[in-house]
Amino acid sequence: MSDERKEAVRQVAGELARHLAWLRDAGVREVPVPVPVMRRAPVPAPALSPAPALEVRPLPVAAPRPLAPIVEQGPAATSASQKGSGSPGLLAIRADLGDCRRCKLAGGRTTLVFGVGAPRAELMFVGEGPGADEDLQGEPFVGKGGQLLTKMIEAMGYRREQVYIANVVKCRPPGNRDPEPDEIEACEPFLRRQIEAVGPKVIVALGKFAAHTLLRSTIPITRLRGQWSEYQGVKLMPTFHPAYLLRSPAEKVKAWEDLKLVMAALGRQVAPGGGRPG
Ligand code: SF4
């Protein structure tokens, strides 16, 4: 094996070890089992007879057609702010948002953070609003909390790009304060439409604020988490926000319990091998 290959194998092994360490720290004692894929034996290709000689003729050239006029549809979105709008339904919502100024959060944002992921995902995560990293990159959950969310998603047996991630408000509240009622009122209709367009089977509300907004509740997240609710007829599971889990790693065990309920609701298998530690 070449040195380059050995180095690549070492890197993959290191990544895997870090991922397993995170799961162990989180109290995970079981991992999803991928469904085995049956592979068919390769069918031998039939012997080819010699190809007949081809006659080469020039193709007729069509007369150029006039181009349709371009219709101006409002301010163009930047490529960063167009992330997560990969279906006609989502594109229409993104187009309706345009260079949105419907609430005062518009004044402080760098990028409008629409959402990211599979346009028809069965699983959708909803957070509160973009932070500093998200505001710069135009994608939700890309900071340290986002990295933890990605690990949670992977621990459930998905890749990040197989789920859909969005926030209640699409612009960063200054100083990462909670969004205010008038800001939620202005922005939540777009989240509602995103949920309709994606059509997830399950929504996971990340943290107190997202859970309170979606459920119109003031019950503490410590009591909401782990209990099924509904939002627009879709099953909703509240759990802790990844940023909170970074500050309180002991709570990762409870978050994993919540995510296992989500996996069961989605028909995802969890391999036996013990439960969470006491
Ligand atoms: S938070 Fe929502 S409603 Fe407010 S400006 Fe941004 S996109 Fe518009």
Side-chain angles (χ1 to χ4, degrees), residues 86-99:
S87 73
L90 289 169
L91 275 169
I93 301 164
R94 182 64 192 85
D96 287 350
L97 269 169
D99 183 31

Side-chain angles (χ1 to χ4, degrees), residues 161-236:
E161 58 271 24
Q162 290 178 309
V163 305
Y164 196 85
I165 309 170
N167 283 309
V168 173
V169 293
K170 316 281 181 230
C171 303
R172 183 193 179 199
N176 289 347
R177 66 158 168 78
D178 283 349
E180 293 174 352
D182 58 317
E183 296 157 359
I184 297 165
E185 195 185 339
C187 211
E188 196 192 351
F190 295 98
L191 173 65
R192 243 181 265 140
R193 288 177 59 192
Q194 276 176 297
I195 292 170
E196 272 169 28
V198 174
K201 290 180 186 159
V202 174
I203 300 168
V204 175
L206 294 166
K208 171 186 85 169
F209 185 86
H212 283 179
T213 303
L214 298 181
L215 297 177
R216 304 285 188 269
S217 169
T218 54
I219 296 173
I221 184 70
T222 47
R223 282 175 43 211
L224 284 176
R225 62 146 287 272
Q227 308 291 328
W228 284 111
S229 297
E230 258 191 29
Y231 180 77
Q232 296 189 150
V234 182
K235 285 167 81 78
L236 184 143

Side-chain angles (χ1 to χ4, degrees), residues 147-166:
Q147 287 163 20
L148 179 57
L149 176 62
T150 302
K151 288 179 182 172
M152 290 159 71
I153 291 166
E154 288 170 353
M156 296 174 77
Y158 293 91
R159 294 192 313 277
R160 184 177 159 104
E161 58 271 24
Q162 290 178 309
V163 305
Y164 196 85
I165 309 170

Side-chain angles (χ1 to χ4, degrees), residues 11-143:
Q11 281 181 8
V12 171
E15 267 302 310
L16 185 60
R18 280 192 291 280
H19 183 57
L20 290 174
W22 181 85
L23 292 175
R24 194 180 53 240
D25 291 349
V28 176
R29 291 292 180 274
E30 51 207 46
V31 291
V33 179
V35 178
V37 177
M38 302 298 291
R39 296 190 190 283
R40 300 176 67 180
V43 179
L48 294 173
S49 51
L54 292 175
E55 187 187 353
V56 180
R57 287 188 191 157
L59 289 170
V61 179
R65 292 168 58 189
L67 292 174
I70 294 170
V71 180
E72 197 70 41
Q73 293 200 338
T78 65
S79 60
S81 62
Q82 282 181 325
K83 283 181 182 173
S85 47
S87 73
L90 289 169
L91 275 169
I93 301 164
R94 182 64 192 85
D96 287 350
L97 269 169
D99 183 31
C100 184
R101 306 264 151 200
R102 291 172 179 83
C103 83
K104 55 188 180 296
L105 292 181
R109 73 164 180 243
T110 308
T111 315
L112 189 154
V113 182
F114 182 66
V116 74
R120 296 293 296 168
E122 64 177 9
L123 176 58
M124 182 164 176
F125 291 85
V126 176
E128 167 183 336
D133 293 315
E134 291 76 18
D135 178 57
L136 286 176
Q137 295 185 41
E139 181 171 329
F141 287 94
V142 290

